[in-house]
Amino acid sequence: MSTTTSPSPPLPSHSSNKLRNSSPIFHSRSFKRKDFSIRCESENSQRWTVGCVSGTDPIHIILKPPSIPMASSAALASAVKNSKRVCLFYCNEMKDLAERIASQNDSIELRSITWRTFDVYLIPTKFRTFEDGFPNLFISNAHGIRGQHVAFLASFSSPGVIFEQLSVIYALPKLFVSSFTLVLPFFPTGTSERMEDEGDVATAFTLARILSNTPVPRGGPTSLVIFDIHALQERFYFGDNILPCFESGIPLLLKRLQQLPDSDNISIAFPDDGAWKRFHKQLQHFPMIVCAKVREGDQRIVRIKEGDVNGHHVVIVDDLVQSGGTLTECQKVLAKHGAQKISAYVTHGIFPNRSWQRFNHDEGGSPENGMSYFWITDSCPRTVKEVKDKKPFEVLSLAAPIAAALQI
């Protein structure tokens, strides 16, 4: 430490103690003539200013933190200014996810809709439901969203809730909004995308056509955000009035895998070629195992097509799970070939009829009977409520990627 001083009275002992005990810790000081002007550098290379007022006893020392550089201040102000303010509406089923999305960004403001679906008269006139059971819906503060960016968080978990949400989806863009974004994390008819026999109805195409008729807001076509759609060719089912934006939950899985104690011993398994085609590019830095279904008599058996299993923590990756039959068969064959641990990830945990109950937790040493982890996202809120705090299940929230998608 180098010091240059002018003749001045020494600092009182209690003042120097005060300086030594201040945060941050100082490594160098420079003293200049006339009163005291001290420049100090802290451990993080930031410069603090210490002003000393002489002529009093004791000397008063004023410690001033470093000022934010003008460029940084301008960048911060610009980021706040350029952040798109979004009014986010949501269906009742998605309330928890909507609140998590709003907590990600101060520019996202939650707005409410009055959903009335019961066959009773709740409030005279304006808010009553019709005796035939059809909903009477009300968008709160409709005038207040004029010229605003508006989004709706939907869940088509059953055919019974689709009509009321479509009514809102068709109404919001017509309220003179600047832009409209529809967030439908799980596209429920995605597995019915093709016709194999004459008479089969491709309901994925039907739902895509319905959504494509969403009215065009003032700013242009509606944006549709979907996560890990079952078949990539379904992007071509949508018309020109809607712009599908396909996102993925795989980055959430990657982040979680990095946190595991055995993250350097993980291999990724795909239950079939379809899952490999969808996800292998996002997971290409992991060793991969590809399984396949083969027919033996009247049965379809899962076999390992390629890849090394022995001694690895194998994570089975797919876009969705329903009954879980394919995953359990894949689990058995992986355990048979020497997997040390077996876990699974699916973006959409549908689990009809509580089929999640067939998956047990492996606390160590029994990968053929249980899974170390089973990760799902909160795209299917009913499942999230059922498996909450039940091992091996963990929920990875889509809140952050949805909040980011709303800023596009």
Side-chain angles (χ1 to χ4, degrees):
M1 180 177 71
S2 61
T3 307
T4 304
T5 62
S6 59
S8 299
L11 290 173
S13 59
H14 64 276
S15 297
S16 62
N17 288 337
K18 189 185 229 181
L19 181 59
R20 279 197 300 270
N21 293 333
S22 299
S23 177
I25 299 173
F26 302 111
H27 292 297
S28 65
R29 302 173 187 171
S30 62
F31 296 80
K32 294 183 180 178
R33 193 174 176 83
K34 187 118 181 178
D35 297 336
F36 284 102
S37 178
I38 306 175
R39 187 188 66 202
C40 307
E41 288 186 13
S42 64
E43 289 180 337
N44 58 3
S45 300
Q46 291 180 325
R47 294 185 175 184
W48 291 63
T49 301
V50 181
C52 301
V53 182
S54 61
T56 59
D57 189 15
I59 294 175
H60 296 281
I61 299 176
I62 305 171
L63 188 63
K64 301 177 183 179
S67 59
I68 301 175
M70 186 175 296
S72 300
S73 301
L76 182 60
S78 177
V80 173
K81 183 178 179 180
N82 294 331
S83 183
K84 184 169 72 174
R85 300 200 62 83
V86 179
C87 301
L88 178 61
F89 294 87
Y90 55 90
C91 67
N92 284 333
E93 202 171 272
M94 286 296 200
K95 180 180 179 182
D96 291 343
L97 178 54
E99 291 175 347
R100 287 191 288 270
I101 293 170
S103 69
Q104 298 289 322
N105 193 324
D106 291 338
S107 296
I108 300 175
E109 178 185 353
L110 293 184
R111 295 295 185 94
S112 62
I113 295 172
T114 303
W115 305 88
R116 307 291 183 183
T117 57
F118 300 100
D119 296 337
V120 293
Y121 287 89
L122 298 175
I123 302 177
T125 63
K126 194 170 189 178
F127 295 116
R128 80 172 176 268
T129 57
F130 302 115
E131 291 180 320
D132 59 7
F134 278 85
N136 187 15
L137 309 169
F138 183 72
I139 299 172
S140 302
N141 191 22
H143 285 280
I145 63 173
R146 288 185 175 184
Q148 302 295 315
H149 299 289
V150 173
F152 180 74
L153 179 62
S155 173
F156 291 176
S157 57
S158 67
V161 300
I162 293 179
F163 175 76
E164 62 183 19
Q165 292 181 66
L166 281 175
S167 300
V168 172
I169 291 167
Y170 280 22
L172 286 171
K174 299 177 75 173
L175 295 175
F176 294 94
V177 301
S178 178
S179 70
F180 181 59
T181 301
L182 171 60
V183 182
L184 183 63
F186 173 49
F187 189 69
T189 59
T191 56
S192 302
E193 81 281 6
R194 61 183 180 269
M195 295 174 56
E196 295 181 350
D197 296 311
E198 188 66 30
D200 283 345
V201 178
T203 52
F205 182 59
T206 303
L207 184 56
R209 285 200 296 176
I210 291 172
L211 294 176
S212 297
N213 281 294
T214 302
V216 179
R218 295 174 63 189
T222 291
S223 300
L224 172 63
V225 179
I226 297 176
F227 283 82
D228 291 320
I229 197 165
H230 183 68
L232 293 178
Q233 66 266 25
E234 291 175 2
R235 71 170 64 235
F236 304 109
Y237 292 179
F238 297 93
D240 293 340
N241 285 352
I242 199 163
L243 300 176
C245 176
F246 294 122
E247 300 287 349
S248 178
I250 294 297
L252 300 175
L253 171 65
L254 290 173
K255 183 178 180 179
R256 184 66 182 94
L257 292 180
Q258 291 172 356
Q259 298 169 351
L260 298 181
D262 58 350
S263 59
D264 58 346
N265 190 39
I266 290 174
S267 294
I268 301 296
F270 302 105
D272 52 40
D273 287 332
W276 177 85
K277 289 177 182 177
R278 280 189 294 273
F279 299 123
H280 78 279
K281 289 183 179 179
Q282 298 181 73
L283 298 163
Q284 58 187 348
H285 55 287
F286 288 100
M288 294 187 185
I289 301 145
V290 181
C291 299
K293 294 179 183 178
V294 296
R295 187 174 295 280
E296 290 187 359
D298 295 333
Q299 293 183 330
R300 298 190 72 182
I301 308 297
V302 175
R303 288 183 175 176
I304 294 177
K305 183 178 176 181
E306 60 181 86
D308 180 26
V309 175
N310 190 41
H312 292 272
H313 180 178
V314 182
V315 180
I316 307 169
V317 174
D318 208 349
D319 61 316
L320 60 86
V321 58
Q322 296 201 43
S323 67
T326 299
L327 284 183
T328 54
E329 289 300 317
C330 193
Q331 175 187 358
K332 290 176 183 177
V333 72
L334 292 171
K336 184 178 178 180
H337 283 76
Q340 185 181 76
K341 295 180 182 178
I342 298 175
S343 298
Y345 165 86
V346 295
T347 303
H348 311 295
I350 305 168
F351 294 119
N353 302 317
R354 299 172 67 88
S355 58
W356 54 267
Q357 293 178 328
R358 71 189 302 170
F359 294 97
N360 299 315
H361 181 222
D362 174 25
E363 297 183 358
S366 301
E368 68 278 2
N369 298 319
M371 291 192 172
S372 299
Y373 302 94
F374 199 131
W375 294 288
I376 63 173
T377 73
D378 45 5
S379 65
C380 300
R382 292 183 181 180
T383 299
V384 171
K385 291 180 180 179
E386 291 179 354
V387 304
K388 185 179 180 180
D389 300 325
K390 292 182 175 65
K391 292 184 177 181
F393 293 98
E394 284 187 12
V395 179
L396 308 178
S397 181
L398 295 173
I402 290 175
L406 292 178
Q407 291 296 315
I408 297 176

